[in-house]
Amino acid sequence: MSKVTSRLGHLRSERGMTTAEYAVGTVAACGFGGVLYKLLTSEPVQNLLSTVIEKAFGVIGG
């Protein structure tokens, strides 16, 4: 390996993400958040969560 390629390889490490990877990661996180929000605010899931919370309070005597 020559001195130039050795230095170039040293300067370009594989640590961290590039700007494009940040953009893709951000879009994926936003998409996942949107799906999760729609799921948790749907009527069946709201009813399920309400039932689970009521039973939990019933068990602890609240």
Side-chain angles (χ1 to χ4, degrees):
M1 189 178 327
S2 74
K3 201 175 209 182
V4 173
T5 55
S6 175
R7 283 192 175 176
L8 287 176
H10 178 68
L11 292 176
R12 182 169 167 78
S13 69
E14 295 295 323
R15 295 183 303 169
M17 292 195 304
T18 65
T19 303
E21 289 170 331
Y22 276 118
V24 170
T26 301
V27 169
C30 289
F32 180 71
V35 169
L36 191 59
Y37 174 77
K38 288 300 262 182
L39 177 70
L40 292 176
T41 57
S42 68
E43 190 70 29
V45 175
Q46 287 288 311
N47 291 336
L48 177 66
L49 290 173
S50 178
T51 303
V52 168
I53 291 171
E54 286 174 5
K55 285 184 180 183
F57 279 127
V59 168
I60 61 173

